[in-house]
Amino acid sequence: MAVLLCQMLLVSAMFDGISSLPTGTQAVLSTSDVEMLPEFGVGFDLTASYGTAAVSFANGTVLSVAKVTAEDGYNEVLRRLSLESSQHLVPPYQNPGDAWKDKPREALRSARKAVGLPASADVGYLATMLSHLKVQVEEYLGAPIESAGVTSPHLVALYQEDLQDAFDHVGLRYLTFPVRYGLLYETSATYAGYDYGLCSDYTDRAACKEEQQDMASEVVMAVGYTGTALTVSFSVVKSAYYLYEPDNRYLNKFTLGYDARSRWASDDEYWVEVAKSLEELMAENPNYKRPAKVLLMGDQVHNAAFMRILEAVLRRQTTDEPEISSQDPQFAAAKGAAELAKRLPYDPYKQ
Ligand SMILES: *[C@@H]1O[C@H](CO)[C@@H](O)[C@H](O)[C@H]1NC(C)=O
């Protein structure tokens, strides 16, 4: 087996030169495909604690379809991918020597894929979640699905390559969106899921583009709260496609999920830390514009103590009352991803 693996590493290293073209843009159809436009878009949210799926239909109806609780190990993968220390080289490479330096890692991924394994153990956890969501959406629709859009928390070491490989592993086409970071982060997906930042008639590409370009940019605070994690962003959006969310404008706290309460010395101490985290980004950046909208997601955001703390933080930080969106918070991000997936064939930013 060791010899076989070695051979495969060599073979895949040889093929690397020709197989390293980015594959993430395959979902963008050319104008000649217009007749084959989908009647719906499927969106997944790979968040801490669980994954969700939603479907957006051409008639405008958007439905929450499935929630799958994470298996052991999945949350640990997300936690690890949230750490700067987990970052690594990944294509497309920035510097001349990087492709060479990254060859062993890429070769191992290719070797694993060649024998039908997920590209890495991490990809395996993501793929398992995707496959459960896929099955449930297909059962719901009564038909197979062939592609989906996916959103996730802003995890610094989660790369498009991982999502692409996880989708490949479950036989789904990975849709990529014309968004700044390549990956669709929950701040943008939730913004879209709450019906913000989208043109009124996406089938009219020119009008849609103009409408979205005319949209004002605004500051939003997206807060995700589940049993496993508290995520906070303090970002700038301009339509659902443009997101400005650099390192100092988001945080992921895997020590502050609702289920981690008992690991703190007391409940009070836990809630003090939650309050600090909710306020941290605004407190550290006193000169940044305060959020005009607060977008809530996750299955714990309706917790009464949590809401009281969030409202108190907002009162301290701004005298304008930001609009708080919190309907169907477990599915808001998946719904946004589904909406963008449905609109992708009409991509207004396409040349
Ligand atoms: C839109 O289409 C879906 C799927 O065919 C259907 O379930 C839903 O009821 C429709 N909604 C409206 C408002 O017609």
Side-chain angles (χ1 to χ4, degrees):
M1 181 60 201
V3 174
L4 183 63
L5 192 63
C6 250
Q7 279 173 352
M8 286 187 307
L9 291 177
L10 282 175
V11 170
S12 68
M14 285 185 330
F15 279 112
D16 214 31
I18 49 169
S19 65
S20 61
L21 285 171
T23 51
T25 51
Q26 58 178 323
V28 179
L29 306 174
S30 69
T31 31
S32 60
D33 294 318
V34 162
E35 305 77 47
M36 301 158 47
L37 292 174
E39 288 157 52
F40 59 81
V42 177
F44 298 141
D45 180 19
L46 297 179
T47 202
S49 289
Y50 56 84
T52 55
V55 180
S56 173
F57 293 97
N59 64 13
T61 300
V62 188
L63 297 173
S64 311
V65 173
K67 178 183 177 190
V68 173
T69 302
E71 63 172 331
D72 286 349
Y74 168 97
N75 291 318
E76 178 52 27
V77 170
L78 263 58
R79 188 195 66 79
R80 194 158 30 73
L81 297 183
S82 75
L83 304 175
E84 262 171 58
S85 58
S86 301
Q87 287 176 289
H88 55 77
L89 289 172
V90 74
Y93 300 109
Q94 308 298 319
N95 303 304
D98 287 353
W100 176 254
K101 283 187 224 148
D102 198 31
K103 242 181 178 67
R105 193 189 63 83
E106 285 294 330
L108 181 58
R109 287 175 85 98
S110 301
R112 288 179 54 106
K113 287 192 273 185
V115 293
L117 289 172
S120 69
D122 290 357
V123 166
Y125 284 101
L126 302 178
T128 302
M129 175 58 81
L130 288 176
S131 79
H132 289 307
L133 292 169
K134 173 177 184 270
V135 166
Q136 292 203 22
V137 171
E138 289 178 338
E139 273 174 13
Y140 179 84
L141 292 171
I145 56 170
E146 58 100 28
S147 66
V150 64
T151 182
S152 71
H154 194 153
L155 303 171
V156 74
L158 174 66
Y159 303 100
Q160 273 193 292
E161 175 183 65
D162 300 312
L163 295 172
Q164 174 76 62
D165 283 340
F167 270 67
D168 285 351
H169 193 69
V170 302
L172 275 179
R173 201 150 51 90
Y174 167 64
L175 300 181
T176 57
F177 301 107
V179 292
R180 180 191 182 114
Y181 297 105
L183 288 88
L184 176 67
Y185 291 129
E186 282 179 344
T187 303
S188 290
T190 315
Y191 191 65
Y194 283 130
D195 262 340
Y196 297 121
L198 295 165
C199 68
S200 44
D201 180 8
Y202 63 91
T203 62
D204 185 341
R205 197 173 289 168
C208 181
K209 185 173 182 176
E210 202 180 315
E211 190 181 342
Q212 285 178 180
Q213 279 174 344
D214 286 347
M215 287 177 180
S217 64
E218 61 180 352
V219 176
V220 299
M221 179 183 182
V223 177
Y225 188 38
T226 70
T228 311
L230 173 66
T231 65
V232 183
S233 73
F234 174 39
S235 315
V236 182
V237 294
K238 179 176 161 62
S239 93
Y241 292 87
Y242 178 87
L243 172 70
Y244 176 68
E245 195 169 272
D247 290 351
N248 67 335
R249 300 198 73 146
Y250 71 93
L251 51 84
N252 297 300
K253 295 279 171 91
F254 282 82
T255 49
L256 289 177
Y258 186 67
D259 300 341
R261 286 179 333 286
S262 59
R263 281 191 251 137
W264 292 82
S266 67
D267 263 18
D268 283 356
E269 193 171 319
Y270 168 79
W271 290 115
V272 166
E273 286 303 316
V274 168
K276 259 196 235 166
S277 295
L278 287 171
E279 194 153 9
E280 187 175 323
L281 299 171
M282 288 187 285
E284 284 175 359
N285 300 289
N287 300 321
Y288 290 179
K289 235 185 186 173
R290 307 289 94 175
K293 293 186 168 69
V294 178
L295 313 165
L296 300 186
M297 52 191 164
D299 59 358
Q300 298 297 333
V301 287
H302 286 311
N303 177 287
F306 179 79
M307 276 309 291
R308 265 198 310 278
I309 289 168
L310 176 63
E311 283 163 5
V313 164
L314 292 172
R315 272 196 306 275
R316 270 201 298 280
Q317 288 292 332
T318 173
T319 48
D320 308 328
E321 281 177 20
E323 214 174 316
I324 301 181
S325 299
S326 65
Q327 321 86 275
D328 206 11
Q330 302 185 62
F331 289 92
K335 283 176 170 176
E339 188 60 33
L340 295 194
K342 182 182 75 179
R343 290 168 180 241
L344 188 58
Y346 299 91
D347 177 1
Y349 301 101
K350 193 156 54 183
Q351 295 303 309

